[in-house]
Amino acid sequence: MNIIDNNNHHHHLHPLSASSWSDYIFKYLLVTSNLLFSVLGLVTLVVGLWGLINKESFAQEKISGIGTDPMLLFCFLGLVLALLSLMGCVGALRENMCLLQSFSAAVLLLVAAQVLVAVVLYSLQGQIAEYLRSGMLAAMVRYQDDLDLRFITDEIQTGLQCCGADTYRDWEINVYFNCSAPGVQACGVPPSCCIDPLENGTVWNSQCGVGAQQLDEFSAQSVIFLGGCLGSISRWIEQHSGVIVTVVIILLGLQILTLFITARLLQKIRWSRAQHDVYLQSLQ
């Protein structure tokens, strides 16, 4: 057995054995992966803060609604990821047992939480569609009043080429798009429902969906997407279910691997400290 003295002043290193090489690789694998994740966490945090500042969420009159801002989730996730990764990184680099144990406990909690979420989502499959429908309709009602909801709704409608929750006529629930509304948008749909919102220009033509609810399906299909977004979302999930499951399994696998590497590193630190104590006693 090699005596690896963990004291910074002098290292008694005999030619490194295979096990100490693997420990060395494990240690720097942990450091590198955690560094990457802390960068990812900081980027997420910056994106969240940028989103909040950009929408002037910190302005006096808007500060009350900041709790429901989706950008706040980005800030929170970014902060947690960065702190957790830095803990693992510094713990591995300094071979600090306390930091590494805290890091292990946090990762273990994360894995348990993710498994729990996956199980809950799987068991609530039937109700998810209803939650999505009520969420989508709520976003449509507040389309003009909430920039975040408008952005998300537009992205879904353009990305999945759909309009409304179940059909394009769902937009009548919006005060401005309702056929009895006084404004120019009455009986219309948002430009993100249009097949060609740019109409050969470079800026969206906000009038392209005007009066679309009055058209019959045959006339409307050349102007706007007829299908509702709920159907498109469920089709998208079905088509990409393999990829989604693979990504989830890989992510969980990486976290479990991290736990094993951390446990191995802790074991090695304990062993080398014990060796060091034996070495000091032999000098007395």
Side-chain angles (χ1 to χ4, degrees):
M1 263 196 178
N2 299 326
I3 293 174
I4 298 179
D5 172 7
N6 222 21
N7 197 323
N8 290 332
H9 301 298
H10 43 265
H11 286 259
H12 288 265
L13 283 174
H14 295 183
L16 284 167
S17 68
S19 74
S20 38
W21 265 116
S22 65
D23 288 337
Y24 190 75
I25 291 165
F26 280 158
K27 176 179 167 176
Y28 285 98
L29 203 63
L30 203 58
V31 171
T32 317
S33 61
N34 275 308
L35 261 180
L36 289 174
F37 277 112
S38 28
V39 169
L40 186 69
L42 289 171
V43 168
T44 312
L45 180 63
V46 168
V47 166
L49 284 172
W50 173 82
L52 287 175
I53 292 162
N54 217 25
K55 289 183 308 202
E56 298 171 348
S57 295
F58 297 115
Q60 208 60 50
E61 67 274 11
K62 292 190 187 169
I63 204 89
S64 57
I66 202 170
T68 56
D69 199 308
M71 284 298 172
L72 212 58
L73 183 65
F74 275 93
C75 293
F76 177 71
L77 286 176
L79 193 63
V80 169
L81 188 59
L83 287 176
L84 183 61
S85 305
L86 281 172
M87 200 193 318
C89 186
V90 175
L93 207 55
R94 301 285 308 144
E95 299 199 354
N96 182 312
M97 286 181 80
C98 177
L99 278 178
L100 284 176
Q101 282 164 339
S102 310
F103 173 72
S104 281
V107 173
L108 195 61
L109 273 175
L110 272 179
V111 171
Q114 286 160 39
V115 170
L116 194 66
V117 166
V119 169
V120 167
L121 284 178
Y122 190 75
S123 58
L124 291 178
Q125 269 173 326
Q127 284 141 290
I128 290 172
E130 278 313 306
Y131 289 136
L132 273 176
R133 178 177 282 105
S134 51
M136 181 96 196
L137 291 171
M140 286 161 67
V141 168
R142 296 181 54 205
Y143 182 78
Q144 283 86 350
D145 310 322
D146 191 313
L147 281 175
D148 292 313
L149 290 177
R150 182 193 299 197
F151 175 75
I152 292 165
T153 308
D154 285 343
E155 284 297 306
I156 290 172
Q157 292 193 148
T158 47
L160 295 175
Q161 300 191 339
C162 55
C163 186
D166 297 299
T167 157
Y168 66 100
R169 292 209 166 94
D170 289 339
W171 277 103
E172 68 183 9
I173 64 164
N174 181 288
V175 190
Y176 300 93
F177 291 127
N178 190 292
C179 287
S180 58
V184 70
Q185 291 178 318
C187 250
V189 293
S192 55
C193 278
C194 298
I195 291 170
D196 181 21
L198 295 174
E199 293 182 354
N200 302 326
T202 50
V203 185
W204 271 15
N205 172 9
S206 59
Q207 305 298 314
C208 70
V210 166
Q213 287 181 51
Q214 287 169 319
L215 302 174
D216 58 77
E217 291 203 357
F218 184 73
S219 317
Q221 69 181 1
S222 59
V223 186
I224 59 168
F225 305 119
L226 296 185
C229 292
L230 294 176
S232 300
I233 290 171
S234 55
R235 275 195 299 278
W236 186 90
I237 291 172
E238 276 165 26
Q239 285 165 0
H240 297 85
S241 58
V243 179
I244 294 167
V245 169
T246 311
V247 168
V248 168
I249 289 171
I250 288 173
L251 284 175
L252 274 176
L254 282 174
Q255 290 167 65
I256 291 165
L257 185 66
T258 305
L259 282 174
F260 277 115
I261 292 175
T262 312
R264 173 77 213 222
L265 195 56
L266 279 166
Q267 194 186 352
K268 181 228 158 191
I269 295 167
R270 283 196 195 97
W271 182 81
S272 49
R273 282 186 183 174
Q275 289 289 321
H276 184 55
D277 291 342
V278 168
Y279 171 72
L280 286 179
Q281 278 166 357
S282 71
L283 290 179
Q284 283 167 4

